[in-house]
Amino acid sequence: MPTLWREALHDGILTATYSNPPMNYYTEQAIDELEGLVAGWRRSDARVIVLCGGVSGKFITHFSAEEILDGVRAPETFIDKGPIRNERLNRILRGMSELNQPVIAALNGDAMGFGFELALACDLRVGQIGDHRYGLCETSLGIIPGGGGTQRLARVVGLGTALDLVLRARVLKPEEALDYGLLSTCAEDALGAAQNIAREICGKPRHGVAMAKRALHRGYNLSLADALTVETDASFRARLTDSARDALEEYVALPFPERRDWLEHVHEPRLD
C-alpha cells in the first residue's frame, strides 16, 4: 500500500495527496508508488484525477537531493541503472497522458525540479497565490531535468522561453507562471479551484472528455494531416456512445433561445 501518496474518491473526483514532511521531497519509493497509482487509475471509476501536496506550502518541492547525490557518488552503479530509471519514470508520466481521465495538478505550494516536471505531465495546472515557487532549478546543481521537464516545458512555452527558464534555472512566482501560460489559473486555494474544475469536467459526458484528451495528446506532435486523422477517429468513436446521444437529445429538446445558456451552464456530475 502507498505510504507517501494517499487517495480519496468523492463524486467522481480522485484526489491524490503527496506527503513526505518536512520538505515534501520526492523519492525513489515515491516513484514506485506513483507507478502503482497510475496503473490503478486506468481501472478506476474516477472521472478526474487531482494531485496536490500534503505538506503546508509545498506541492512537491523537488526530488531528494540526498538520493541524487548518492547516485553521483556511485557512478559505476548509476551508469548501469540511471538510464533505465529515467526511462521508467518517463513511461510512468507518459501513462498519465494516456489515461482517459484528465489529470489536474493543484500546485498548493513549491513545485520545483521533479515537482514541476510532474505538474507539466498533468493536463491542467492550477497555481496558488502566495509565496510559492515553480520551475526547473536543476542547472543550479550541475544537473538537468530527467523526468521530461525540458521537453514538456518547451512544448508549453516554446523553445526560446524554455531555454531562458532552464539555462538560468529560473523559478517563478505563481503569477509569473500564469503569465507564461504554465498555469490554467491562479487561486487563493489551488486544491479547491482544481476540484471545482474537476466538478465542471464531471458534468460532461465521460467518453467525450476521454476522446478529446486522446485527440489532443496523440495529435499534438504529428503533422496536421496525421493529427486530423487522429481527431477523425476520436470524433467517430465519441459519437457512437450512449452518452453522446443522451446529451444531444437533451440539447435539441430545448427551445432555441435556451440553447446558448445550456452550453455555458456547469452541469451536475453525470453517471455515464
Side-chain angles (χ1 to χ4, degrees):
M1 293 294 292
T3 59
L4 296 171
W5 285 98
R6 67 179 187 273
E7 297 177 293
L9 179 62
H10 182 69
D11 290 340
I13 302 169
L14 192 155
T15 302
T17 304
Y18 182 77
S19 297
N20 184 22
M23 295 302 294
N24 232 34
Y25 291 147
Y26 215 72
T27 65
E28 293 291 339
Q29 176 187 334
I31 293 176
D32 293 339
E33 291 186 15
L34 183 61
E35 184 172 37
L37 292 178
V38 173
W41 295 342
R42 293 191 188 99
R43 304 184 298 272
S44 173
D45 291 331
R47 304 288 295 271
V48 182
I49 312 294
V50 176
L51 309 185
C52 69
V55 175
S56 179
K58 295 165 176 58
F59 172 70
I60 292 170
T61 305
H62 53 66
F63 203 91
S64 168
E66 288 79 6
E67 290 194 10
I68 295 173
L69 184 57
D70 286 343
V72 171
R73 286 172 171 166
E76 64 285 348
T77 301
F78 182 73
I79 288 172
D80 291 335
K81 296 183 177 180
I84 296 173
R85 174 255 190 199
N86 276 24
E87 288 171 3
R88 176 186 175 219
L89 180 57
N90 282 319
R91 185 170 62 251
I92 295 168
L93 296 184
R94 285 199 310 272
M96 288 170 47
S97 69
E98 294 167 356
L99 293 169
N100 287 329
Q101 306 98 323
V103 184
I104 305 173
L107 302 180
N108 55 341
D110 291 347
M112 295 179 287
F114 179 76
F116 199 62
E117 288 185 293
L118 178 60
L120 288 170
C122 294
D123 300 304
L124 301 172
R125 290 165 291 281
V126 177
Q128 182 157 305
I129 297 168
D131 185 22
H132 309 307
R133 299 293 182 271
Y134 309 145
L136 300 176
C137 54
E138 283 86 346
T139 56
S140 289
L141 299 170
I143 58 178
I144 76 164
T150 58
Q151 305 309 304
R152 290 190 176 90
L153 182 66
R155 283 162 172 76
V156 173
V157 300
L159 177 59
T161 299
L163 283 165
D164 178 64
L165 294 174
V166 172
L167 299 183
R168 297 168 62 190
R170 291 181 58 196
V171 291
L172 305 173
K173 298 178 181 178
E175 295 82 357
E176 293 176 304
L178 181 63
D179 289 341
Y180 276 107
L182 289 163
L183 306 175
S184 302
T185 187
C186 268
E188 295 287 347
D189 174 10
L191 178 56
Q195 290 176 330
N196 284 338
I197 293 171
R199 277 189 284 273
E200 182 179 344
I201 294 172
C202 285
K204 305 182 188 310
R206 178 197 299 264
H207 295 99
V209 170
M211 290 298 104
K213 174 176 173 175
R214 178 183 299 183
L216 286 161
H217 277 290
R218 292 187 177 180
Y220 184 72
N221 293 312
L222 300 177
S223 68
L224 179 59
D226 290 340
L228 290 173
T229 299
V230 170
E231 181 185 271
T232 296
D233 177 71
S235 175
F236 175 74
R237 292 175 184 274
R239 295 183 191 197
L240 291 176
T241 62
D242 292 341
S243 57
R245 182 200 62 221
D246 293 344
L248 285 163
E249 288 180 348
E250 182 178 344
Y251 179 69
V252 300
L254 295 171
F256 291 146
E258 297 180 18
R259 293 186 179 185
R260 185 175 67 171
D261 289 341
W262 187 91
L263 288 172
E264 293 178 347
H265 181 64
V266 176
H267 301 278
E268 293 297 317
R270 292 177 178 266
L271 300 178
D272 59 317

